[in-house]
Amino acid sequence: LCMYAFRKPFSAATFPGEQLAGMDYKAWLVIAQVLGYACSKFIGIRVIAELRRVQRWQPLLLLIGIGWLSLLGFALTPRPWNIVFLFCNGLPLGMVWGVVFSYLEGRRNTELMTAILASSLIFASGAVKSVGRWLLVSGVDEMWMPFLTGLIFVPPLLVCVALLERLPQPSDEDAAARGERVRMSAAQRGSFLRRLLPGIVLAILCYVGLTVVRDFRD
C-alpha cells in the first residue's frame, strides 16, 4: 500500500486544459508510467531471480527511493518534458512486488499471505489518491503533490519494511512442504527461460495487460 503512494497520487490531479500532440496531458502521464511498469517486469526476471535472502530491505528501499526521486524530477522539470519522469517512476516500482513476495514464498501458507497482500491493491490506489486530493485542496501545487504524498508515506513505509525484516525464516515444516527458491546464475536463468519461455511471456503479457486496464480505469 505504501508503495502506491509513490506511484498513483499523480492521478488525483486533473491537469485541466493540458494537451500534447492532440492528446490529454494526463493520458501521456499514464502511458509513460505504464510503459515503465511493463518494462520493469522483464527487467525483474533477472533482478528478482538474483535477489539475496539477506538485507532485502536495501533493494526494496532503493527501488521505492528511485521512484520517489523521479517524482521530484517530475515536479522540477517543465511540462511536457517531465513526462519522462513518470516512465522513470514506473520502471523501479514494477519490481517492488517481487521483492515483497520474496519474504512470503516457501511457506505452507504462502498462497493465503499472497492473497492478503494482493488485496491491498483493491484499496491502495483510492487511499493514496485521497491523500493527494487532500493536499490539492490544502493548496499544494498539482506538480508537487505526488512527491509530497510520497513524503507522507515514508514513515509508515519504513515501519512496514522493518516488520518485514523481522519475519521468521521458513521453518523445517515449510521446507519439507515447499521447494526452496535459490538464486539463479545467468546460465541457470537462461535454461529456465528456454524451458518455460512461452508460459512466462504469456503470464507477463496477461499481467501487464490487466495493469494497463486497471491504470486507465483509475
Side-chain angles (χ1 to χ4, degrees):
L1 188 151
C2 291
M3 181 277 283
Y4 262 59
F6 302 89
R7 180 183 170 211
K8 297 295 287 186
F10 82 92
S11 57
T14 56
F15 308 104
E18 293 284 339
Q19 285 204 335
L20 177 64
M23 191 164 63
D24 189 74
Y25 171 73
K26 186 173 180 178
W28 281 105
L29 297 179
V30 174
I31 290 170
Q33 190 183 59
V34 168
L35 285 175
Y37 208 72
C39 291
S40 75
K41 297 304 177 184
F42 291 92
I43 298 172
I45 292 175
R46 174 173 182 174
V47 173
I48 304 302
E50 296 182 353
L51 193 66
R52 296 184 301 164
R53 281 283 183 180
V54 296
Q55 295 184 322
R56 283 169 289 188
W57 63 270
Q58 293 178 345
L60 182 56
L61 291 182
L62 176 64
L63 291 171
I64 295 178
I66 293 172
W68 190 29
L69 288 177
S70 298
L71 296 180
L72 178 61
F74 174 77
L76 294 173
T77 305
R79 287 177 274 192
W81 309 109
N82 58 357
I83 292 174
V84 69
F85 285 100
L86 264 293
F87 175 84
C88 298
N89 172 265
L91 200 58
L93 296 184
M95 289 178 274
V96 169
W97 171 275
V99 181
V100 174
F101 178 76
S102 70
Y103 286 93
L104 308 182
E105 64 184 358
R107 305 171 191 269
R108 287 169 293 173
N109 297 318
T110 292
E111 285 81 4
L112 175 61
M113 291 188 289
T114 303
I116 295 170
L117 178 66
S119 68
S120 69
L121 305 181
I122 297 173
F123 57 85
S125 178
V128 301
K129 284 191 290 186
S130 294
V131 175
R133 283 192 291 269
W134 170 72
L135 288 174
L136 291 174
V137 171
S138 301
V140 174
D141 183 85
E142 60 186 0
M143 307 306 292
W144 279 96
M145 177 269 293
F147 178 78
L148 294 178
T149 301
L151 178 61
I152 291 173
F153 278 85
V154 167
L157 171 69
L158 295 177
V159 171
C160 291
V161 172
L163 291 174
L164 277 177
E165 281 291 309
R166 293 180 64 85
L167 281 177
Q169 293 298 317
S171 65
D172 293 337
E173 291 80 6
D174 290 326
R178 299 297 177 98
E180 181 183 2
R181 183 183 69 81
V182 296
R183 295 178 67 192
M184 299 173 71
S185 66
Q188 291 171 323
R189 192 168 59 250
S191 174
F192 182 82
L193 286 174
R194 284 191 295 272
R195 184 158 52 93
L196 299 174
L197 185 62
I200 292 173
V201 170
L202 287 173
I204 292 176
L205 290 177
C206 179
Y207 182 85
V208 169
L210 291 172
T211 301
V212 169
V213 171
R214 187 179 69 211
D215 280 15
F216 275 93
R217 181 206 63 200
D218 275 355

